[in-house]
Amino acid sequence: MKNMVSLKWLLARMYESDVVIVDCRFQLGKPDAGREAYMEAHIPGAVYLDLEKDLSAVVTEHGGRHPLPDIAELTGTLSRSGIGNASRVIAYDDQGGAMASRLWWLLKYLGHDQVYVLDEGFTAWQKAGFPVTAEQKVLIPAPFLATVRHNMLVEVDEVRENLGDAEVTLIDSREAPRYRGEVEPIDRIAGHIPGAINRFWAEGRSSDGKWKNADEQAARFEGLQQEGQIIVYCGSGVTACPNVLALQEAGFTNVRLYGGSWSDWISYEGNPVAAGDEEKPKGV
């Protein structure tokens, strides 16, 4: 797949000079757990990037729970981590690809196409008997020059302006009960953006933990217009990223991320909130 690589693919190429492996493990609610897991064992040569310290900005009134990082700061972080414009970046996690997909999306947004998510993740790598280590790589900075693709991102004003537009599909990537407004364990208001349909991001993987192939991903998004614009969001802009990746795998090209997502949407008084299921029956 064009955005994913297998365990065996990485095993065969992990020591090639242009490959940079990035450990993105992170547990919501346990902010130190990912780095601690990395310190204990990781894929040889991997560097660690933290969701909240490296791949997000500081939380403010607006922008959501995981605001997108400042571009200059992010490019500096990437460069110091040994990621340059010529690097092939392989990102992995142990959260079903959610955190690795955040780095995947950020690098694509910065104009870097040679970035991939490792299918199955670290535990599967370890269970396969592939090498792990606690040794940390000596980081050699690499020049990284961003060419920002602004069209990949939407802000709250544009989402608001597109409400009710038949040419724009809003996809909520959260679990169905949160989308329907039945429960809300994290954000202060339950529900979803009016008009959004629900496609839980984790359903992009099969029961064995592998990502579904292009045809299976296309089946998840059956009925959506290939030529239409798709805006994807979640709670804070993180787990929307694997859905963006899945949509690309399925052949959709006009896919954009609402970076602040639900937690940003509800930070503005007056933004409408919907509950229940807005899915149209097939054939309608």
Side-chain angles (χ1 to χ4, degrees), residues 9 60 88 91 95 121 124 138 152 156 163 176 200 203 205 207 217 221 223 231 233 259 278 284:
W9 186 98
T60 58
R88 282 183 293 166
Q95 286 71 43
V138 175
M152 288 178 57
V156 61
L163 291 181
F200 182 35
E203 291 173 354
R205 292 177 292 129
S207 58
Q217 298 290 9
F221 303 108
I231 297 173
Y233 75 92
E278 300 203 36
V284 175

Side-chain angles (χ1 to χ4, degrees), residues 95-193:
Q95 286 71 43
M99 309 304 162
S101 293
R102 168 75 162 208
L103 177 59
W104 169 87
W105 187 90
L106 285 170
L107 281 166
K108 291 278 188 179
Y109 178 60
L110 297 181
H112 190 84
D113 285 321
Q114 292 280 80
V115 55
Y116 310 90
V117 172
L118 179 65
D119 198 5
E120 300 182 80
F122 180 76
T123 295
W125 173 276
Q126 207 168 22
K127 285 182 177 178
F130 296 162
V132 299
T133 184
E135 293 182 12
Q136 295 189 45
K137 179 181 180 180
V138 175
L139 300 180
I140 302 174
F144 188 97
L145 179 64
T147 306
V148 181
R149 292 166 170 159
H150 295 284
N151 65 329
M152 288 178 57
L153 180 69
V154 296
E155 303 289 353
V156 61
D157 291 343
E158 191 169 355
V159 176
R160 196 184 293 121
E161 290 166 7
N162 283 314
L163 291 181
D165 189 333
E167 300 298 315
V168 179
T169 300
L170 268 173
I171 295 180
D172 187 312
S173 304
R174 298 171 299 166
E175 290 184 83
R178 288 185 70 195
Y179 160 78
R180 292 193 296 262
E182 297 166 357
V183 298
E184 183 44 69
I186 304 174
D187 295 307
R188 62 183 180 83
I189 297 175
H192 61 262
I193 300 174

